[in-house]
Structure formats: C-alpha cells, structure tokens
Amino acid sequence: MAKLLFYALGACGGCELLALEQELVSLLEDHEVYVYPLLSSPPGGSFSFDIALISGAVLNQEHQEFLRDLRARSRFLVALGTCATHGGIPALVNERRPEERFEEVYPTSFRQEVLKEGLPLPLPYVKALDELVKVDVALPGCPPDISYVLKTTQDLLKGTIPKFRWPSVCETCPYERTGKRNVRRLHRLLAGRDHPLKERCFLEQGILCLGPVTALTCVQGEPPLCLAAHMPCRGCGGPVRAKANPMLDMLNALVGNRIDWRSWPDRKLILAFAGAHGHLRPLKGPQCR
Amino acid sequence: MKKIEINPITRLEGHGKIAIFLDDNGNVEEAFFQVVEFRGYERFLVGMPMEEVPRTVSTICGVCRGVHFTASMKAMDQIFGVEPTPTARKLREIFFNAHYVEDHAVILYALGLPDYVVGPEASPAERNIIGLIQKVGVEVGREVLRKRACAVKIFELLGGKPSHPVSALPGGWSKAINEEERDQILAWGNELVELGKLTLQVFEDIVLKNEKYMELVTGDMYKVVLNYLGGTNEEGILDSYYDPKVYHVIDTQGQEIINFKANSKEYLDYIAERVLPWSYLKMPYLKTIGWKGILDGSGTSLYSVGPLARLNVAKGVDTPLAQEAYEKMFSTFKERPIHYVQAYHWARAIELLHAAEKIVALASDPEITSPEVRRNDFHITGEGVGIVEAPRGTLIHHYQTDENAVVTNANLIVATTHNKGPINLAIRKAAKHFIREGKVDEGILNYVEMAFRPYDLCLACATHAAGPGSTPLELSIFTRDGKLYKRLANF
C-alpha cells in the first residue's frame, strides 16, 4: 500500500477536489491517501510519501520551506496544475513590486506589524515549484484532465516516470480556420457585436485566443472546454512549449496573422497563467500597461 | 502567559492558524484566529478589461469558484449598462444553484459531518471523508459522491468547465441550451433533490438523534450572540441566492435594524472594515453601531453571514420541502434568531435541498431553451456592484472602470471576511470551555476547531489569497518570556 499526498501551497484548492472524482476514489480505497488540508490531516510520526502531488505556486517563506521539506520526504514529486508548473494566476502579482501590492490593500504601518507578529511575508516573487526543487512530473492544467492524473499516479506507483507531450488547444478546436487574414486589430470579447460567433477561429475574427500557445490539458482528444462553451482560450492549460515564454510566442502568432498586438489593452493577460520563471516582471510606472 | 498555536487549521479551505494564550493557571485568556497568506487580487485586476474579470476572479477559490465568477458577472452587467435577458438570467440561476448543491455537499460530507459521524475525539487520520465513508458504508458514500457529481455536471454543462467557469458575458451567457440538455439537467436536478432529502436524513439520524451531539449543538460553548446579515426578495422570502433584492441586518433579538438595496453602493453606508495587526484578514463591522471590539451579546457591532444567518433573516424559503425543513429547525431550537454555531450545518443541509428544488423548477421553465441569451446594446457606466448570497454568505464585488470598461478600482468583501469577528468569538468561547488548567490534547483541540468549521471558512477567498495551508498540525506552548515550553506535532 503506497502513501500518496495531495497538497496545496498558494492555490485555490481546485486541484485537490480532483481527489473527490470517482475515478480517484478507488485510489483512496487501495492506498493511503492524504488530501491536505481540504479533506484529511497528514499521518502522525515521521512520515514520508511515495508520491506527493503538490499544487499551487510558492507565495511566501513558509511555502518555500515546506516545499523543500516535502521534496526531501517524497520519492516522486508531481507539480499538479498550472500554478505549480508555471505560477498560474497567483503569479500575476509579479507585475507589481511586493511593497506596492501590499500597501494598496493595507496601511503602510501594517508591514512592520506583520513582521512583529510573525506572519509570513510574501516572497518578492511568486515562483513555480521547479524554480526551487526537482520536479519529477509537471502536470499543467486548471485542473488537468483526470486521465492525466490517473496515468501519472499509476505509472509512478510502478516506478516509471510518465512523459507527456501535449498538443496545442487548436488541435481539437471545433471552429473553422479559413486562412483569410483580413483582421488587423484585436477587439474586445463582447456579446452581440462579436457573439454569437460565426463558427470560425476566434483569432481570425480578431478576438484574442491563446489556443495556439496553450497546451491542451483540459481534455484528452475532445474539443477544448472553453471553445466548446463558445469562449476563447485564456491559457489555463499552461504553455504548449513548457520552457517557452508564451508572451513571445503569442505576439509572434499575432504578427504572423498580421494583427497589431498593440491593439490589445491588457498584455499581462497573455501571461495570466504563466507569470513565474521571470516571465512577468514589475512594471516601472504605476499606470504603465 | 503561555501561547498555544494550532497551525494550520485542518479541513478548511485556505490557510489560517489559531493562537491561544493561557494565563498563569493554564486557563484561556485570549484566542486569535489569524490568516497568514496574502495575495491581493484587487491589485492585479486593475488594468483588466471588465469582461475578462469573471473568468479571472473565479480562480480566487477552487471550491467556491462559481461565486466570484457570478458576483463579478453581475457587476459587469451594470458596468455595461445592461440587464441579462430572461433566459440568460435563468441559466445563470440554474448554474448558481447547481454550484450551491455541490459546494454545500463538499462542506457537509468532507469538512463538517466527519466530526459527528466518525466522532469528535477520533484521531485526525480517521476524522475525514474517508473515515466518514467507512462509517456510513461504502455504498452510501459512493452514492453521495455520485449524486454530488450530477451537480458538477450541471455546473460544467452551463459554465463550460467543471472547475473555473467561463460563460459570462455582459447581460448574457455564452451558451444557450437545447431540449436534450434541458432534459438532462432536469434528470440530474431530480437526483439532487434526493441528495437533499438524504442529507437531511443523515443529519437527523447522526446528529439530532444523538443526545451527546445535541449537547454540542445546543450548548453554550458553541453559542455566539450576534447580528445577522442576509438577502431576500421584496417580501422577505429567500427565493434566490443569485440575485436577492433586499439586504437585511437583524439584531441579536431578531429585530430588523438595517435594510439596504442589493447590487448598489448602499452597502458602503453600513459596513466598515477594520485592519488588525495580527492577521491578513480585515474585520468588518456595522458602521451605524460603531466599532465595539471583538465582543458578542446585545449591542455588538459584529454580524455573521452564511446559511444560518440567511435562514435567521428570511421569513421562509420558496420551495415546499425546504420550507418544511426550515420550520422544523426553528421549532427544534425554539428561539429566533438561532445563535448556536453548530446549527450552520443544519441550515446548510436545508439550503442544499432548497437549491436542488430550485434547479428542477427553473429547468422546467419553457423559456429556458430560448436562444435569446445575449445582448449588445451596451452603454458603459463605469461602475458596478454585484452582490450574491454565496454558500458561505454575502459576497460583494465592487468595480470602477474607465470609459472603455477597463478596471481602475476593485473592492471585494467575501463571506469569510464578514465572519472574521464571529469566528474569532466562536474560537475564543470554545477554547475557554474546553481548555482548563493547561490540559490540552488532540481531542480537545478538535473541539476548538469545531467552533469554526460550521462557518466553512474559505481563507483563500478571504485574503483573495491562496491556498490551503502549508504545515501539518502543530501546537506550540510558550512561556511568558517567549521560550518554547512544549511542542506537540503530528508529524
């Protein structure tokens, strides 16, 4: 009977909810599984794990220490979800200097008080797990389709490390691409004017869709979830090329379509799920976008 | 003075710790509930086109992901100056009710009921959903999970994803449904009504029929006397979590002392937030009464929100089975408002059934399959307030934008923030009751933890921060000069 741990650092807890899926409940029955702290407390005594599935980004000192500790206690460490693999939404704060983030929400004196009371201060920079420890399997997705989680756990239980290669979201997109590139500017996604869409590629209609640079991790072989709901991709599946900067790739894709990328009002959205690894950096002026 | 820390709190969503200070006799002098993570969504929403906000804020929490999505969507409607089409509104309502059912089910079965089913003094390793499934039987456990999954399927069918939903458009919904999909929603909805009935039955069999547990439910150690905030329709009936029309505050005696219009800036006239140096979570209070400190009882300016607050405030609910259960709860306690925090779990079970009944009613509406789910007659107003009754309580999203509907300012007040004061009080009360003369063991700590579990804390939401905790349960006792006196840990 193997010991498995689901653990969330700076995350929303959504990846841990996967453990409630019926496919994974059988794991709960066959192995010792801890889903902490959402569902169960960790075991007593000095414990170690065969597999630690860690979600969330590293936001503060405590996360950092605990991640290193868990690495030391675990045979295999899986970065579960896009926050763990690429920073996810938490890393959007990397666009601001830490003191700036803090002081807009709390009074200036608060920072001093926090230090005195021993609350962990945020790290200057929100990090993905592999910036701090060795990650055996990176499983991006928000959350990744359950089949990938199952395959990962099954392979690791046998002692082999699974290798994944995800296609881009465009691969199974149900919309038609005509190849006509007659849009020069991106415009906003609003009902009526652009919606309902003709069943045609969002980018060709001038609507930002991160499909070309995003890994298809939300489903396996089916139409991407957002596209099936008539909404463009926003990159939650993680970058299609794991080590690439999706901002550069996306701007290239836009230029390739002869679309003026400066027509989009909020460029950080392109890195909404991949702001770690130094991709999203503090802006200089407070109003600069 | 000794200091005990419970760090972090198990089985809640988000990261927090409790610090308990003992006097020289080992009795509890003070207890604080601290939130130790900070993220700052309000900051990075600035600069974002408003129509992108719902998808982004849904990631504040992976459990109650639909609530931030929905509150910001309602604010977005106002910013674009449109009301949703009737069908879009009903689809949003079904979506939101489905979210209620699956969220309340997780809270009850995974977080709240294990204390009762497995027993409050069982070891933490058993006192969880797996222990619960073993205790109620694998068949019943699987059936609950299967039925809950029906609610997630409705959520996904309408919202686009099982996790963070995507279908919000100003005044609309990206996805209309066909007859086949409606029939599917109805079939799932009927299963959810069964889940609601089953849940009330489980609560009755396990808690209400157990004398020892009823002592906990109706005991003074879990009684916190507060004001309550909740939304209803114009007649005072709870008929929609998605869109209440009027907000009411009742005092500790049940008298209405404040009411204000939903989805407007009026809330600012009544609610103020106090920053406390020992927590990342601010503490709101009623402005009209003024800050009185962290105290309960008559005259307090603290108020609580959530299932019990809603039912305390509402004159009734608008579906037959849930109304019956509502009446039963109040006749059992023989008081109104009910001030016993363990009753939050009961109220939650009633609401689960209510939301399920609403899904069936809404999906039966002939208009629900209309393709009219979008609008395009926008005029940008520059400001919007979306207020919903989230499973954990009143949730306020308030945005200002420039003339292009790009966010310039965001303010979020979430349910766990409203409940910060009440939670602190509940913990202090339970700590004083259960910790005497320095005697602390695992069982006692869980009784203290049981004081906050009914509030179903979502600290991820509360600091708009993130993430379930980061160290296993640890208890540190400090002597007066700050030296570590004793350390108990489960790792």
Side-chain angles (χ1 to χ4, degrees):
Chain A
M1 201 159 89
K3 278 188 183 162
L4 276 73
L5 173 74
F6 284 83
Y7 199 93
L9 299 169
C12 71
C15 287
E16 282 61 51
L17 278 189
L18 284 175
L20 277 187
E21 299 274 332
Q22 293 175 54
E23 292 91 330
L24 270 174
V25 169
S26 58
L27 263 183
L28 303 182
E29 287 164 3
D30 298 341
H31 298 284
E32 213 175 312
V33 183
Y34 300 90
V35 187
Y36 186 72
L38 199 56
L39 303 183
S40 54
S41 313
S46 68
F47 59 91
S48 60
F49 298 102
D50 298 283
I51 307 172
L53 298 112
I54 301 181
S55 65
V58 182
L59 307 188
N60 61 36
Q61 203 69 35
E62 238 174 51
H63 290 157
Q64 189 165 298
E65 283 161 23
F66 202 71
L67 173 63
R68 290 195 169 121
D69 183 47
L70 271 181
R71 173 70 269 187
R73 291 168 187 273
S74 309
R75 182 166 173 223
F76 295 113
L77 190 147
V78 180
L80 176 63
T82 307
C83 296
T85 59
H86 295 90
I89 294 266
L92 263 179
V93 295
N94 288 346
E95 195 199 32
R96 298 280 162 183
R97 288 185 301 277
E99 57 282 8
E100 204 184 340
R101 299 171 208 160
F102 218 56
E103 276 157 20
E104 284 185 30
V105 187
Y106 300 98
T108 319
S109 58
F110 188 73
R111 195 183 162 81
Q112 293 310 316
E113 295 284 349
V114 161
L115 285 172
K116 205 166 69 195
E117 297 289 337
L119 295 187
L121 270 179
L123 291 178
Y125 203 86
V126 170
K127 292 174 186 162
L129 306 192
D130 64 359
E131 294 180 77
L132 289 161
V133 298
K134 177 173 170 259
V135 168
D136 298 303
V137 184
L139 212 51
C142 185
D145 185 69
I146 188 92
S147 63
Y148 299 120
V149 184
L150 274 175
K151 177 169 170 48
T152 301
T153 46
Q154 283 159 355
D155 283 8
L156 291 179
L157 285 170
K158 287 183 225 140
T160 53
I161 293 180
K163 292 264 184 286
F164 292 105
R165 222 187 125 78
W166 287 281
S168 82
V169 163
C170 299
E171 182 93 2
T172 56
C173 178
Y175 295 120
E176 191 197 349
R177 243 173 304 171
T178 63
K180 285 183 196 144
R181 295 167 179 178
N182 43 13
V183 178
R184 292 291 165 265
R185 292 176 62 78
L186 285 174
H187 47 92
R188 304 264 293 272
L189 171 81
L190 295 171
R193 194 178 66 190
D194 314 306
H195 248 87
L197 290 151
K198 298 169 284 271
E199 299 283 305
R200 190 176 157 198
C201 169
F202 276 95
L203 274 176
E204 287 193 354
Q205 301 186 71
I207 292 171
L208 182 71
C209 177
L210 300 182
V213 299
T214 303
L216 183 71
T217 50
C218 57
V219 285
Q220 201 175 9
E222 288 164 38
L225 293 175
C226 294
L227 278 302
H230 312 299
M231 295 294 273
C233 174
R234 282 294 176 262
C236 79
V240 69
R241 295 192 297 133
K243 301 288 177 199
N245 182 341
M247 173 79 93
L248 281 179
D249 285 355
M250 191 62 217
L251 296 186
N252 270 327
L254 290 173
V255 171
N257 280 286
R258 291 196 276 159
I259 294 173
D260 179 5
W261 51 267
R262 286 164 301 192
S263 56
W264 179 248
D266 188 21
R267 270 197 293 151
K268 72 169 179 292
L269 259 182
I270 298 173
L271 284 172
F273 287 89
H277 297 112
H279 290 155
L280 202 57
R281 292 161 194 272
L283 298 171
K284 294 213 173 68
Q287 292 306 313
C288 175
R289 288 204 290 272
Chain B
M1 193 164 67
K2 291 171 187 165
K3 182 184 176 192
I4 298 173
E5 277 186 346
I6 301 179
N7 175 25
I9 301 162
T10 54
R11 266 182 297 139
L12 57 81
E13 303 128 40
H15 185 166
K17 54 178 157 185
I18 298 175
I20 297 169
F21 294 87
L22 304 182
D23 64 18
D24 288 341
N25 300 322
N27 293 321
V28 174
E29 190 167 286
E30 198 37 285
F32 290 108
F33 161 60
Q34 301 178 301
V35 174
V36 298
E37 275 188 9
F38 164 74
R39 196 156 76 187
Y41 263 80
E42 281 144 331
R43 179 57 254 179
F44 62 66
L45 292 175
V46 171
M48 198 174 279
M50 188 63 210
E51 69 275 15
E52 303 287 341
V53 169
R55 294 177 72 169
T56 308
V57 293
S58 95
T59 63
I60 288 176
C61 179
V63 179
C64 56
R65 57 217 186 271
V67 304
H68 297 287
F69 176 79
T70 305
S72 59
M73 170 171 67
K74 284 175 62 180
M76 169 172 77
D77 291 345
Q78 290 175 19
I79 282 164
F80 286 93
V82 282
E83 290 277 331
T85 72
T87 300
R89 189 202 144 94
K90 285 169 193 161
L91 290 173
R92 290 173 176 190
E93 282 233 26
I94 296 179
F95 163 82
F96 201 62
N97 280 305
H99 186 30
Y100 247 76
V101 173
E102 55 101 6
D103 191 327
H104 272 2
V106 168
I107 300 323
L108 281 167
Y109 289 98
L111 310 180
L113 286 177
D115 286 328
Y116 291 99
V117 178
V118 188
E121 288 175 28
S123 89
E126 298 162 38
R127 209 178 52 234
N128 54 41
I129 192 169
I130 300 146
L132 181 140
I133 288 173
Q134 280 159 359
K135 201 92 173 187
V136 296
V138 172
E139 284 313 306
V140 179
R142 277 181 187 270
E143 187 60 13
V144 166
L145 287 176
R146 195 186 66 74
K147 283 197 162 43
R148 176 191 170 266
C150 294
V152 181
K153 284 179 194 153
I154 298 176
F155 182 97
E156 176 175 4
L157 194 159
L158 295 172
K161 281 175 72 186
S163 57
H164 301 292
V166 299
S167 307
L169 289 169
W173 196 251
S174 72
K175 212 179 155 187
I177 59 167
N178 58 32
E179 282 298 331
E180 200 182 315
E181 287 167 320
R182 177 242 288 276
D183 291 344
Q184 184 63 73
I185 290 174
L186 262 179
W188 285 329
N190 284 319
E191 292 226 35
L192 297 179
V193 173
E194 293 307 311
L195 175 64
K197 291 191 213 161
L198 172 70
T199 304
L200 278 165
Q201 193 60 48
V202 166
F203 193 81
E204 171 140 7
D205 292 346
I206 287 164
V207 183
L208 304 183
K209 287 182 180 161
N210 182 321
E211 262 178 48
K212 190 168 175 243
Y213 291 168
M214 279 312 276
E215 275 173 32
L216 294 177
V217 173
T218 60
D220 281 348
M221 59 286 211
Y222 292 127
K223 182 177 188 177
V224 184
V225 178
L226 293 162
N227 307 304
Y228 295 94
L229 168 69
T232 67
N233 67 9
E234 278 98 351
E235 283 76 47
I237 303 292
L238 179 58
D239 71 339
S240 172
Y241 302 102
Y242 161 76
D243 198 24
K245 297 294 180 213
V246 185
Y247 270 85
H248 314 264
V249 179
I250 56 167
D251 68 11
T252 57
Q253 309 292 317
Q255 294 300 314
E256 178 167 307
I257 48 172
I258 291 169
N259 72 68
F260 59 89
K261 208 170 131 237
N263 305 322
S264 80
K265 285 198 283 186
E266 282 184 28
Y267 79 92
L268 290 169
D269 297 336
Y270 303 104
I271 296 169
E273 287 185 289
R274 194 174 178 87
V275 174
L276 300 159
W278 38 269
S279 178
Y280 283 128
L281 182 51
K282 300 172 193 177
M283 191 178 286
Y285 61 95
L286 296 173
K287 227 178 195 176
T288 41
I289 298 178
W291 176 251
K292 304 270 183 199
I294 311 170
L295 295 170
D296 72 337
S298 178
T300 176
S301 63
L302 300 175
Y303 60 92
S304 87
V305 298
L308 183 62
R310 272 193 289 269
L311 297 190
N312 270 338
V313 163
K315 288 180 197 148
V317 297
D318 72 334
T319 60
L321 296 174
Q323 176 63 21
E324 209 177 289
Y326 166 96
E327 285 162 18
K328 185 174 175 187
M329 180 175 82
F330 281 102
S331 65
T332 304
F333 279 95
K334 298 185 187 67
E335 70 165 28
R336 196 178 177 132
I338 295 169
H339 294 298
Y340 297 99
V341 298
Q342 298 298 326
Y344 263 90
H345 289 316
W346 195 348
R348 189 165 285 128
I350 295 169
E351 287 191 342
L352 193 161
L353 178 59
H354 181 224
E357 289 184 282
K358 295 295 289 186
I359 292 171
V360 173
L362 285 157
S364 308
D365 189 316
E367 209 178 31
I368 202 75
T369 49
S370 154
E372 302 298 320
V373 293
R374 299 183 178 105
R375 293 188 64 161
N376 62 356
D377 46 339
F378 306 130
H379 64 98
I380 292 165
T381 64
E383 186 155 15
V385 180
I387 308 187
V388 295
E389 276 302 318
R392 288 152 192 79
T394 310
L395 170 66
I396 303 171
H397 276 229
H398 187 169
Y399 299 92
Q400 284 159 332
T401 70
D402 66 10
E403 68 283 6
N404 296 316
V406 171
V407 176
T408 53
N409 202 0
N411 186 35
L412 282 55
I413 306 183
V414 308
T416 302
T417 307
H418 294 292
N419 279 337
K420 163 99 185 184
I423 292 162
N424 212 87
L425 282 166
I427 289 170
R428 187 199 288 163
K429 259 198 176 155
K432 284 194 175 187
H433 179 90
F434 289 107
I435 298 176
R436 297 270 168 85
E437 293 169 2
K439 192 178 160 290
V440 184
D441 62 36
E442 210 169 62
I444 280 179
L445 282 187
N446 190 50
Y447 281 114
V448 175
E449 288 197 38
M450 278 172 69
F452 63 76
R453 229 166 263 146
Y455 290 99
D456 175 21
L457 313 189
C458 192
L459 305 181
C461 291
T463 48
H464 322 316
S470 67
T471 45
L473 189 69
E474 171 188 308
L475 178 137
S476 310
I477 302 172
F478 296 95
T479 59
R480 189 176 286 213
D481 55 3
K483 278 190 190 139
L484 188 67
Y485 166 70
K486 199 171 179 186
R487 184 168 174 275
L488 302 170
N490 57 359
F491 59 92

